[in-house]
Amino acid sequence: MNLWLFTESDFATFVFPDTAFGIFAALSGKSMTTNPTPDLLAILSKVPKVLLWNWLNLLIFDLANQRHPESVIEDTINKPWRPVPSGRMTVAQTRRLLLLSVPFVLIVNYFLGAWEETALLFSLTWMYNDLGGGDEEFVTRNLIIAIAFSQYNKGAMRVASGCGFDVPPNAWQWLAITSGVIGTTMHVQDMKDQEGDRAKGRRTAPLVIGDGAARWTIAIPTAFWSIACPAFWGLGPLGYALPVSIGFFIVFRILALRSFIADKRTWWLWTFWTAIIWMLPLCKDYSVFTRFFQQIIS
């Protein structure tokens, strides 16, 4: 139960969208992988493995993050149900659990087929938590998170595609674009956490440049990526429908609705929007479904 509570509030931000990225990328065939004819059922059967890979890496990050006294202060305000502020575990116990979890997760992810990404994520976790990258100016914080997301996405893609998978040039470009999406809009989650971030002394966008200005730094990139991402894949009008409609709804909400509850719901909508963006390669090449239904008919 404690392991889940460490990661529960970040599950929707990391595990679901990154798992979606990996599965959609593997299904999209030559658009994102070196396998031109992926098998639908074979890839869908890997969903539990991809979920596990993402969750284990998130667990390491959250254990490292939540063991710091400053984080306990913040979580006491923003997330009091977490194991340390709720008294279920101490800081010392969390540190020992982290010591045991790091080699365990690396070994498990070696067998899952994406240990290199895990090793880089460990380094980024160290930079974010122990070197204070998460408490620097929000630009530095977003940059670290954007790079981390590229590794979450890349690792999920490798697990979903199978061992021995190589990342083709087109996939590298898409990974860079999706990192740009994260790096320029990720601070949408900070709008709802301002009270706890202020208590910790964290320099998030709304606390550095003000609530109103921070909202525009989310709204403008969200509108841009909603159009630019489908354009990258050369999609038709239907390919723009969901990213644009949801993206511009986020723009409306972040500018017009400014309560804690509204910001929390906008953040949830943002996680759904990112999953839609991650699905776009499959809109470019959906032949995996055509082959599947042809096999059923024949």
Side-chain angles (χ1 to χ4, degrees), residues 71-85:
S71 296
V72 178
I73 295 173
E74 177 192 358
D75 287 342
T76 300
I77 299 172
N78 289 339
K79 303 173 181 72
W81 63 86
R82 283 178 166 174
V84 178

Side-chain angles (χ1 to χ4, degrees), residues 172-224:
W172 282 113
Q173 295 174 24
W174 183 236
L175 285 168
I177 289 173
T178 53
S179 290
V181 173
I182 296 300
T184 56
T185 64
M186 180 75 183
H187 50 297
V188 67
Q189 68 175 342
D190 296 330
M191 305 310 298
K192 61 181 175 55
D193 293 334
Q194 294 184 53
E195 185 179 352
D197 289 338
R198 186 178 292 108
K200 185 182 178 182
R202 177 174 283 168
R203 297 178 62 78
T204 60
L207 300 182
V208 172
I209 64 176
D211 182 90
R215 292 178 184 276
W216 281 102
T217 67
I218 298 165
I220 294 173
T222 299
F224 170 77

Side-chain angles (χ1 to χ4, degrees), residues 87-142:
R88 298 171 67 96
M89 289 184 66
T90 66
V91 170
Q93 289 171 330
T94 304
R95 181 185 64 82
R96 295 189 190 101
L97 179 58
L98 178 61
L99 282 172
L100 294 172
S101 298
V102 166
F104 172 79
V105 169
L106 188 59
I107 291 170
V108 171
N109 286 345
Y110 172 81
F111 289 103
L112 288 176
W115 68 270
E116 298 97 331
E117 290 80 7
T118 295
L120 181 54
L121 284 170
F122 285 174
S123 298
L124 292 167
T125 293
W126 173 64
M127 292 171 62
Y128 188 94
N129 293 302
D130 294 271
L131 297 185
D135 298 322
E136 292 287 339
E137 295 287 350
F138 67 93
V139 174
T140 301
R141 175 171 174 258
N142 281 17

